[in-house]
Amino acid sequence: MKNKEEKIILEMTREQALTIEIACELLARLHIGQFKELTNILLPIHGTDANDYCRRRDDANDALDLAAKLMFGRTPYNTPNITKKTEEHNRAWNIYQVLRYTRSWHDHPEGDHWSVCFDEPMNMIAGEPLPKCKIVKNEQDNNT
């Protein structure tokens, strides 16, 4: 961390936080060659023929798999050769984990021991604190 005396406080709506959560998960996955995750996020499924959707998804995934292998090289098992996770991957994953964990416990305070969403975030970067996150009731709601 360049300036340990500095921190950013960001206030946002639930929808904005979900967008950040999705973006951080996607960035982290792209850094480790999981390019196929793009089709899960970007390929529209509603209002389309199932066969057409599956064909487009499979074609896109084949192209994305090739792109990952061209960028990272190939292992003997013909998978992208990711030898080390980058700091950018780890930081994005930390943010994603904290947002997911906070949202999950807020929405379901009873918990769910079968879902990874309720597992306490594991810090992926030594010496850098995990982000802090909490969900509070909007102040405007309290004034009406």
Side-chain angles (χ1 to χ4, degrees):
M1 187 185 256
K2 292 181 181 174
N3 188 344
K4 293 184 182 195
E5 297 167 11
E6 202 174 67
K7 66 179 173 180
I8 306 297
I9 299 171
L10 179 63
E11 188 174 305
M12 65 186 83
T13 66
R14 176 179 281 266
E15 292 79 13
Q16 292 165 336
L18 186 56
T19 298
I20 298 289
E21 185 179 328
I22 292 167
C24 286
E25 180 185 12
L26 180 59
L27 177 63
R29 291 183 183 281
L30 292 175
H31 272 284
I32 58 171
Q34 294 180 0
F35 289 16
K36 293 179 185 180
E37 193 64 28
L38 282 167
T39 58
N40 294 334
I41 294 172
L42 298 177
L43 189 62
I45 190 170
H46 303 294
T48 181
D49 174 80
N51 289 330
D52 179 54
Y53 167 80
C54 291
R55 183 180 40 74
R56 288 184 300 118
R57 181 203 58 209
D58 293 347
D59 289 347
N61 282 342
D62 289 345
L64 290 166
D65 185 52
L66 177 59
K69 291 171 184 172
L70 290 170
M71 290 179 67
F72 295 108
R74 299 170 195 245
T75 68
Y77 301 104
N78 199 30
T79 60
N81 189 17
I82 309 301
T83 56
K84 183 179 177 210
K85 293 178 180 171
T86 66
E87 194 168 85
E88 290 81 13
H89 160 83
N90 291 332
R91 188 168 290 121
W93 196 254
N94 280 348
I95 296 166
Y96 162 66
Q97 287 183 96
V98 168
L99 286 167
R100 178 187 67 186
Y101 175 81
T102 304
R103 178 182 45 78
S104 297
W105 278 105
H106 178 80
D107 292 350
H108 304 283
E110 70 280 3
D112 179 355
H113 68 280
W114 292 105
S115 174
V116 70
C117 297
F118 294 87
D119 292 350
E120 192 167 327
M122 292 178 20
N123 196 339
M124 306 298 285
I125 303 177
E128 183 173 305
L130 283 170
K132 291 183 180 9
C133 181
K134 63 182 175 179
I135 299 174
V136 297
K137 191 159 181 91
N138 192 336
E139 290 179 25
Q140 290 177 329
D141 293 343
N142 294 332
N143 295 332
T144 57

